[in-house]
Amino acid sequence: MSIRNLDDLLGEGVSGRRVLVRADLNVPLDKQTGEITDDGRIRAVLPTLSALVQAGAKVVVCSHLGRPKGAPDPQFSLRPVAGRLGELLGAPVHFAEDTVGDSARSTVEGLADGQVALLENLRFNKGETSKDDAERGAFADQLAAFGEAYVDDAFGAVHRKHASVYDVPARLPHVAGRLVLREVEVLSKLTGAPERPYVVVLGGSKVSDKLAVIEALLPTVDRLLIGGGMCFTFLKAQGHEVGTSLLEEEMVETCRNLLERSGGKIMLPVDVVAADAFAPDAAHDTVPADGIPSHRLGLDIGPETVAGFAAALSQAKTIFWNGPMGVFEMAAFANGTRGVAEAITKTDAFSVVGGGDSAAAVRALGLDESSFGHISTGGGASLEYLEGKTLPGIAALEN
């Protein structure tokens, strides 16, 4: 990867210089309290921010949170993130009440060497996500004015052609942060010559969301284990009753073709936990995957499936996991995700957790993060990288 990195920038000296850092601080917030429920993404950017602070830079951090509609929306404010970031850095983080307005300008101008500012949510400005090059570019001009150099450490956003990711690097000397560099190094191992057997575990709700990566991975993996809501469309393709389980009817024929072309590589559940309703206290029990009652829906893979998946994983030398095996947020339907995750930690394989809900599940279930080779911060970005797509944020850093 022909990209300059943070060490290159630090070697040139950043003391007294303003450095604009694009971070991915898109953390989940409790809807009632507004408190951060998982600070994993904040922790992930700390090595880059700490290095810049210690080198005496004036650090200006920008990020998005959620999907506001191009205008300020209090429920998507980054203010709670500023507080948590300050706690983790051990020093106050100055918070700008807007992104490129008066508050942002005065906050940035007031920074002393080694201090950190966080701008308000980038997506409060239409220019951030605009598909119009001129509108996006105009916003990028305003952002770039806050920095003398640019660091992209937002791997979770590099697959987006957004102003702060794609256009700002064209306006400033730019480097990859520690996180982005690590993510690309790890994922390149999977797309290069992974040590075999190479086993991939895919979950999540929809086959359509994972179709491209399944197509890309099938020729290269040794086993592809499929759980989560997406497994029911595959089970339907095998001719099984799936009750009221999540089903993409329009994808059944596609799944049938994938099964026929896979040469036996695809492994599906043999039992599932079927419930009367999508609720944490719903009546449920374990049934064969080919015997789901018509009035019930599958919300997790069953224990026999966990054992089968664990056996396949135990043989692996390389593992990639993206997507939970069931509705892990509900205790009654978390055993499949927990079982597969624990099976991965017991192997000697180089394991990569592909961000998103999988990374959230690792932390929510109290699993030891250090037991995995790498936990990505970008679910969508990691999948698109494995598909072989050009990621706009990475391409911008290479230019």
Side-chain angles (χ1 to χ4, degrees), residues 267-329:
M267 190 172 177
L268 297 175
V270 294
D271 61 345
V272 301
V273 179
D276 287 343
F278 188 88
D281 57 352
H284 61 276
D285 52 48
T286 302
V287 302
D290 59 0
I292 301 172
S294 60
H295 67 286
R296 286 192 147 186
L297 72 163
L299 294 180
D300 196 10
I301 59 174
E304 283 189 38
T305 301
V306 171
F309 282 11
L313 290 164
S314 70
Q315 305 298 314
K317 294 298 183 184
T318 305
I319 298 170
F320 176 73
W321 168 36
N322 179 280
M325 298 292 98
V327 187
F328 73 91
E329 299 90 345

Side-chain angles (χ1 to χ4, degrees), residues 159-179:
H159 59 315
R160 306 294 188 192
K161 190 176 180 180
H162 291 171
S164 63
V165 174
Y166 182 75
D167 300 276
V168 171
R171 291 157 168 77
L172 290 172
H174 49 269
V175 302
R178 300 236 194 277
L179 174 63

Side-chain angles (χ1 to χ4, degrees), residues 183-225:
E183 295 269 15
V184 174
E185 286 175 348
V186 165
L187 291 172
S188 65
K189 290 184 181 180
L190 303 185
T191 56
E195 191 176 355
R196 298 188 176 279
Y198 176 23
V199 179
V200 170
V201 187
L202 291 181
S205 57
K206 294 182 178 181
V207 179
S208 54
D209 291 341
K210 304 283 171 71
L211 179 61
V213 77
I214 292 173
E215 294 272 13
L217 288 172
L218 264 183
T220 63
V221 303
D222 296 292
R223 298 304 297 271
L224 178 57
L225 318 182

Side-chain angles (χ1 to χ4, degrees), residues 363-385:
R363 290 187 279 269
L365 297 175
L367 301 171
D368 182 2
E369 294 183 47
S370 67
S371 299
F372 300 90
H374 178 70
I375 298 180
S376 177
T377 55
S382 62
L383 288 178
E384 291 195 18
Y385 191 96

Side-chain angles (χ1 to χ4, degrees), residues 72-102:
D73 185 338
Q75 68 175 319
F76 296 116
S77 174
L78 281 167
R79 181 176 285 281
V81 174
R84 182 59 180 149
L85 181 58
E87 291 172 0
L88 293 170
L89 285 172
V93 168
H94 303 269
F95 183 65
E97 302 286 347
D98 52 31
T99 309
V100 291
D102 292 341

